[in-house]
Amino acid sequence: MSETFNSWILAARHKSIITMLEEIMHKLMNRHVDMINFAKTWITDISPMARTILEENKEYSKKCKVMWNAQGGFEILDNGYRFRVHLGNKTCDCRLWQLRCIPCPHAVCAYYKLNLDPDEHVEHWYRNDTFLKAYSYYIQPIPNLKMWPESSNPSIEPPLPKPMPGGPKKCRRKAKDEPKKKYGKQSKKGVKMTCSKCKQTGHNRKVCQTRSEVRDSS
């Protein structure tokens, strides 16, 4: 959730602190209004997402067969599998009811067996009034920065620069597309070696054969 919020305020994060806070406040105020208007568009007291899931479960429940023990337990036959449903505990072996808190197809089938409406057994946090409670606290507008009253408290100054460990860097930071310069001796790879004694290529003075031939002849 924090990553989603950070991406939502990404444009305001690069501004000064007061401007950033004002833009975040305006975004929250607009979202507050949008969510309240969204709640007014609900067709029923149940949220649209929960309503869609419940209607799909109602349609699927038509394929199931139900057996009742005359108390609170039901046995639902679904495509060769048997699922136990207990309406008092609001549990089903498929565990969808426990996970979503919306009656699963097997629970819907059990409610229809008792001529009960599954809509009345959707948990309260999918209800319209619970949704509006999250937006019952409003953000109050504030005046412009120039209209703020002057404070007698000392002004907040930025912290003093602190020397970092290690010596200061002598070389500047190069750009990514800037070519790198190589310092030191240049490589002699690919250069033909020339002897300074006989002026022939392919060897140097230390291994020159002319010098050894002169010694042998003497």
Side-chain angles (χ1 to χ4, degrees):
M1 184 178 293
S2 60
E3 294 179 359
T4 304
F5 182 77
N6 285 333
S7 62
W8 188 55
I9 62 171
L10 187 61
R13 287 172 54 189
H14 302 285
K15 299 182 180 179
S16 59
I17 182 66
I18 296 179
T19 306
M20 179 190 71
L21 293 176
E22 286 182 344
E23 289 197 10
I24 294 175
M25 182 192 69
H26 294 158
K27 290 176 70 69
L28 291 175
M29 291 174 67
N30 292 332
R31 177 173 173 79
H32 208 98
V33 175
D34 293 340
M35 291 296 102
I36 294 176
N37 293 333
F38 169 68
K40 296 178 181 179
T41 61
W42 294 9
I43 300 175
T44 61
D45 187 48
I46 304 174
S47 67
M49 182 271 293
R51 168 60 59 186
T52 302
I53 295 175
L54 185 60
E55 293 300 326
E56 292 176 354
N57 293 343
K58 288 180 180 180
E59 188 66 25
Y60 188 86
S61 66
K62 298 177 181 179
K63 306 176 183 179
C64 303
K65 295 182 180 180
V66 58
M67 295 293 295
W68 182 35
N69 67 349
Q71 191 180 14
F74 293 83
E75 187 177 290
I76 311 299
L77 183 62
D78 178 13
N79 197 19
Y81 294 92
R82 294 179 181 178
F83 297 91
R84 296 172 301 169
V85 176
H86 197 284
L87 297 183
N89 299 332
K90 293 187 176 182
T91 58
C92 178
D93 287 343
C94 71
R95 298 189 62 204
L96 287 177
W97 197 4
Q98 295 92 302
L99 291 174
R100 294 178 174 176
C101 296
I102 301 173
C104 63
H106 314 118
V108 171
C109 191
Y111 280 124
Y112 282 160
K113 179 68 176 180
L114 301 180
N115 295 324
L116 298 176
D117 188 6
D119 294 13
E120 299 178 357
H121 300 276
V122 177
E123 289 297 334
H124 67 90
W125 44 73
Y126 292 110
R127 302 289 177 177
N128 190 280
D129 54 350
T130 305
F131 182 85
L132 290 176
K133 285 181 181 179
Y135 301 96
S136 60
Y137 301 95
Y138 302 95
I139 301 175
Q140 301 301 327
I142 59 175
N144 191 24
L145 177 61
K146 296 181 180 180
M147 302 173 62
W148 290 3
E150 295 185 2
S151 175
S152 59
N153 297 325
S155 59
I156 301 176
E157 301 294 339
L160 297 176
K162 183 179 180 181
M164 302 301 293
K169 294 183 179 180
K170 298 181 180 179
C171 300
R172 63 177 179 85
R173 292 185 179 181
K174 297 182 179 180
K176 293 182 179 180
D177 55 348
E178 187 175 354
K180 296 182 179 180
K181 294 183 180 180
K182 295 183 179 180
Y183 298 93
K185 294 183 179 180
Q186 188 176 5
S187 175
K188 292 186 177 181
K189 185 177 181 180
V191 179
K192 291 184 178 181
M193 188 179 299
T194 304
C195 179
S196 61
K197 188 174 183 65
C198 64
K199 307 302 180 182
Q200 295 181 1
T201 59
H203 65 278
N204 57 8
R205 181 171 181 165
K206 293 182 179 180
V207 294
C208 183
Q209 298 294 332
T210 305
R211 186 176 181 182
S212 60
E213 290 176 358
V214 172
R215 289 180 179 178
D216 295 339
S217 61
S218 60

